């Protein structure tokens, strides 16, 4: 049985959406492609057959849609990797 997330660990806005993402639970697919750069989300979503959710809150970009009959979410973290000089 799945335990609910305590309110202290899941901040919601006035509309009941996850605060930093501005997403409701139904806006997110079970399978998520997580990328750093927000620009990559649209590159991935371009392959979707249909897009049903387009959302952005600051650098956090979300697209949920369908690809070959499977519901998928592409979501940016707003953070990428950075190569460190040797």
């Amino acid at each position: 049985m799945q335990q609910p997330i305590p309110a202290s660990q899941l901040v919601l806005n006035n509309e009941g959406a996850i605060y930093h993402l501005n997403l409701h639970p139904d806006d997110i697919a079970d399978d998520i492609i997580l990328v750093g750069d927000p620009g990559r989300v649209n590159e991935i979503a371009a392959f979707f057959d249909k897009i049903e959710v387009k959302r952005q809150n600051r650098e956090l970009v979300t697209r949920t849609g369908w690809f070959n009959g499977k519901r998928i979410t592409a979501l940016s973290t707003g953070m990428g990797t950075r190569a460190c000089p040797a």
Side-chain angles (χ1 to χ4, degrees):
M1 181 176 182
Q2 191 174 23
Q3 297 294 320
I5 299 171
S8 62
Q9 296 178 18
L10 182 64
V11 182
L12 303 178
N13 65 20
N14 292 338
E15 291 83 38
I18 299 168
Y19 179 76
H20 289 92
L21 300 174
N22 194 27
L23 295 170
H24 290 92
D26 292 342
D27 295 334
I28 305 169
D30 289 338
D31 294 301
I32 301 172
I33 300 171
L34 194 62
V35 299
D37 184 348
R40 288 192 194 117
V41 172
N42 285 328
E43 291 178 23
I44 293 166
F47 291 96
F48 290 178
D49 301 316
K50 176 184 174 187
I51 297 174
E52 60 185 44
V53 175
K54 288 184 176 183
R55 199 75 39 80
Q56 180 171 349
N57 188 30
R58 300 181 186 155
E59 73 281 1
L60 303 171
V61 177
T62 305
R63 301 290 181 266
T64 298
W66 294 87
F67 177 74
N68 288 341
K70 183 163 190 68
R71 190 167 186 252
I72 299 175
T73 295
L75 175 66
S76 70
T77 64
M79 298 178 259
T81 59
R82 182 171 173 234
C84 296

